[in-house]
Amino acid sequence: MAASWRADAAMAQHDAPAKAAWNFAAGPARLPDAVLARAGAALFERGADGAAAIERPFTGAGFREVLADARQRLAALLGVPDHYRVLFLAGGAMHQFSMLPMNLLDPASGLRRVAYADSGYWSRRAMQEAARYAEVAVVARHAGALPLTAPPLDDWQVPPDCAYCHITANETVDGIAYPAWPNTGAVPLVADATSCFLSAPLDVSKFGLIYASAQKNIGPSGLTVVIVREDLLRRPALAAPSALCYRLQAAQDSCLNTPPTLAIHLAALVFDWISESGGLVAMASANRRKADLLYSAIDSSQGFYTAPVAHGHRSTTNVRFHLADERLTEVFLTDAAAAGLHHLRGHRQVGGLRASLYNAMPDAGVAALVDFMAEFARGHG
């Protein structure tokens, strides 16, 4: 299998344009070259039944085999314990902002509130949505007026009547990552792991539920993976419509309604590629190397570029940085695009620049960005 992936990667490189162009978008993000090369034949060529893989019914044996294979490969990559269920659900991570309280609140058992940690933009969006369904207890918050670190991990006072405690493991907008996981006691820890999922090993057993939308390290948008501990599926989910009910989706093998079949097919290919590329340990090593290269270029620029997030809390997947002279930002973006470096504009909430370095971004793309940054600094410093 590894040799086959190498052949597909070589084919993709052969077919690549002469001038490389690099996509640093926060999402939808770059897919592995080898996955794109294989997908053409595997998913879009019609077979003897007149249907391509993505045209066959989701109730048929062909797709059910793909679904089972995707689940098994993901579980193996993460070492998912036997008492957890892996769901492949339609929609994005924002759907989970509502689905969590819909599914996990249980007033009859005394679970009337939800707990959230404020680490930046997406954690605040999540708690705003949760507040439509329950009282939100903010149990931890980033230090300072602006989010430049994850919340301190000591002394989280999580009320026992909270149905869960939610964290955003990696803040895509703010460029902040938790350096470790909090201890929430008997209250299940829930994580939005969207932008760091599959970028490094993850101890699933520390969480009651993990969710991640696909468009970073899994595949195309429109799919969200949910990994949920089985005891949480026994909660009544009184507010959840059938298609949004974790328990019912688990009982129907993620096929209560039509699942996003194309996204699941591609996810299965991505899981296979990660496995044959050395697994999550290899992904973590490569991602650390890429991030170190970029952060080093920023930190050694004598202040021309700045990375505001505190050391130890800097994301390896979403590198946020700024020009000391913000008036040069638009010039930088224009010149970078001309050099084949695209989608580097920071989120509108924080401005500046952002380079997202997901698994499929090769070292060559980061090296091209670092070289451009040095040349830009020489020309404008």
Side-chain angles (χ1 to χ4, degrees):
M1 184 67 73
S4 178
W5 278 117
R6 286 195 293 270
D8 286 341
M11 180 187 304
Q13 290 298 320
H14 180 268
D15 293 339
K19 180 182 178 181
W22 304 106
N23 170 23
F24 291 95
R30 179 187 182 96
L31 285 166
D33 293 338
V35 168
L36 286 182
R38 180 172 293 190
L43 303 183
F44 299 105
E45 291 183 1
R46 290 198 168 97
D49 62 348
I54 62 170
E55 296 173 325
R56 295 188 178 111
F58 76 93
T59 54
F63 175 73
R64 292 306 178 101
E65 289 173 5
V66 171
L67 183 63
D69 181 63
R71 181 177 291 109
Q72 184 276 326
R73 289 187 180 279
L74 179 59
L77 281 172
L78 287 167
V80 176
D82 291 341
H83 60 295
Y84 285 72
R85 299 292 299 273
V86 176
L87 308 179
F88 294 98
L89 303 180
M94 284 188 66
H95 289 79
Q96 303 307 312
F97 295 175
S98 299
M99 289 175 68
L100 284 167
M102 284 181 176
N103 280 272
L104 300 187
L105 284 168
D106 188 2
S109 299
L111 302 176
R112 300 178 177 86
R113 291 196 285 174
V114 293
Y116 279 72
D118 179 2
S119 56
Y121 178 81
W122 282 112
S123 60
R124 290 193 294 269
R125 291 288 300 272
M127 75 175 71
Q128 286 167 6
E129 188 64 22
R132 300 179 61 191
Y133 303 91
E135 178 187 345
V136 173
V138 180
V139 296
R141 190 177 184 276
H142 58 83
L146 298 175
L148 298 177
T149 68
L153 293 174
D154 54 341
D155 199 32
W156 285 34
Q157 301 297 320
V158 183
D161 64 342
C162 285
Y164 59 86
C165 181
H166 180 281
I167 65 170
T168 302
N170 185 95
E171 288 281 3
T172 318
V173 169
D174 303 279
I176 295 169
Y178 275 80
W181 308 125
N183 180 2
T184 57
V187 177
L189 180 61
V190 169
D192 176 356
T194 293
S195 55
C196 59
F197 193 65
L198 301 183
S199 65
L202 179 65
D203 186 353
V204 173
S205 68
K206 292 185 178 297
F207 301 87
L209 186 148
I210 300 166
Y211 65 94
S213 57
Q215 67 275 11
K216 318 289 188 177
N217 276 329
I218 303 173
S221 58
L223 166 70
T224 295
V225 171
V226 174
I227 303 174
V228 56
R229 207 171 60 208
E230 286 182 343
D231 64 286
L232 299 181
L233 297 175
R234 293 194 286 271
R235 295 188 181 176
L238 297 175
S242 295
L244 305 183
C245 178
Y246 296 141
R247 182 181 64 258
L248 295 179
Q249 286 286 8
Q252 294 295 321
D253 201 24
S254 303
C255 292
L256 181 69
N257 57 322
T258 305
T261 57
L262 171 59
I264 292 170
H265 273 283
L266 280 166
L269 294 178
V270 170
F271 300 155
D272 188 16
W273 173 80
I274 292 174
S275 177
E276 297 298 337
S277 299
L280 297 182
V281 171
M283 295 297 111
S285 176
N287 290 330
R288 181 76 266 171
R289 182 176 64 248
K290 292 181 292 185
D292 285 348
L293 179 62
L294 182 50
Y295 281 121
S296 178
I298 295 166
D299 292 339
S300 64
S301 69
Q302 299 181 322
F304 188 85
Y305 304 103
T306 60
V309 175
H311 287 273
H313 298 258
R314 290 175 168 182
S315 170
T316 58
T317 52
N318 307 109
V319 178
R320 173 188 165 195
F321 62 108
H322 297 255
L323 287 152
D325 183 354
E326 293 282 1
R327 295 172 298 181
L328 290 173
T329 300
E330 293 301 323
V331 180
F332 180 98
L333 290 166
T334 299
D335 291 357
L341 307 166
H342 300 279
H343 309 301
L344 286 162
R345 185 182 298 277
H347 192 274
R348 61 186 179 277
Q349 292 292 320
V350 297
L353 304 161
R354 175 178 57 183
S356 294
L357 313 179
Y358 299 117
N359 289 346
M361 173 59 67
D363 289 2
V366 184
L369 174 58
V370 167
D371 289 346
F372 169 80
M373 289 168 61
E375 181 179 348
F376 188 85
R378 285 192 294 270
H380 297 274

